[in-house]
Amino acid sequence: ISMLLGLLAMPVCAQTVSQPALMGRWMCLTTYEGTSSTSKTVDILDFKENQMVTDINNVKFYVPADSTDLALPFEYKVQGSGKWHLTGKELVLDLSKEAIHRNHADVVQKLLQKSSSARDIDEQLYQILMADKQQKLIFRIDSMAKDAMSMTQSDTGTPTLCRKVDHRVSDHLP
């Protein structure tokens, strides 16, 4: 969290962004607010000079899963790769999903064993992730510094905060 607070004070407003500035590994955080649920994603995006990108997306859907209305995190790890393209301050990612894994915490796994409604929710969320094998994401880069970037997803208006991370550190992230 403290890492992201520094993003709020980024002085550089992105008119254009250079491709070399984008190269490397970035950890990006996004929160999507819905009417009945919230989802949070942590993406590890690795931008290569040959316009290839890999993405490890850890997504948590916070959904009420039983009569308590307690929103539990249904967690999935989605791996993909594809191409990226940068024009001015518009970043386009064309991604193909290669693997999707359930990555639930113990409390959710126990609930899944007991509750058919929780299993239904889990299956619905998994199918939503599976259905979107090809994704085209378009972002507007709002600001960029040497190791921090703020961008907005064009179709949803959702802000995404990113921080450049060292490969040695990010190789051990979930």
Side-chain angles (χ1 to χ4, degrees), residues 64-79:
D66 59 17
S67 59
T68 65
D69 284 334
L70 177 65
L72 296 174
F74 288 78
E75 189 168 355
Y76 307 86
K77 182 177 186 176
V78 182
Q79 296 172 282

Side-chain angles (χ1 to χ4, degrees), residues 17-150:
V17 177
S18 70
Q19 291 188 10
L22 200 57
M23 295 300 117
R25 190 170 285 185
W26 294 83
M27 180 172 62
C28 299
L29 305 173
T30 308
T31 300
Y32 299 93
E33 298 288 343
T35 55
S36 61
S37 68
T38 298
S39 64
K40 296 183 179 193
T41 66
V42 177
D43 285 274
I44 304 298
L45 292 163
D46 204 350
F47 292 96
K48 310 281 188 202
E49 289 181 29
N50 63 358
Q51 310 250 214
M52 296 301 292
V53 62
T54 58
D55 179 23
I56 299 172
N57 179 346
N58 292 291
V59 59
K60 288 183 183 180
F61 292 97
Y62 293 87
V63 180
D66 59 17
S67 59
T68 65
D69 284 334
L70 177 65
L72 296 174
F74 288 78
E75 189 168 355
Y76 307 86
K77 182 177 186 176
V78 182
Q79 296 172 282
S81 64
K83 306 267 301 164
W84 65 271
H85 178 75
L86 181 66
T87 304
K89 61 181 185 174
E90 182 180 84
L91 174 63
V92 178
L93 304 178
D94 282 308
L95 297 170
S96 296
K97 292 180 185 172
E98 297 163 355
I100 300 172
H101 304 281
R102 289 174 168 94
N103 199 22
H104 303 312
D106 289 342
V107 65
V108 173
Q109 289 180 16
K110 288 177 185 172
L111 180 63
L112 290 170
Q113 292 172 0
K114 295 188 296 186
S115 168
S116 64
S117 65
R119 287 190 298 275
D120 290 344
I121 290 168
D122 175 54
E123 186 59 28
Q124 289 172 7
L125 294 171
Y126 186 83
Q127 291 304 319
I128 288 169
L129 292 171
M130 288 291 293
D132 230 359
K133 288 284 191 181
Q134 290 291 124
Q135 265 189 317
K136 183 173 189 170
L137 301 172
I138 302 172
F139 295 93
R140 181 189 70 239
I141 298 176
D142 300 313
S143 61
M144 186 164 195
K146 179 181 175 189
D147 61 354
M149 175 171 51
S150 172

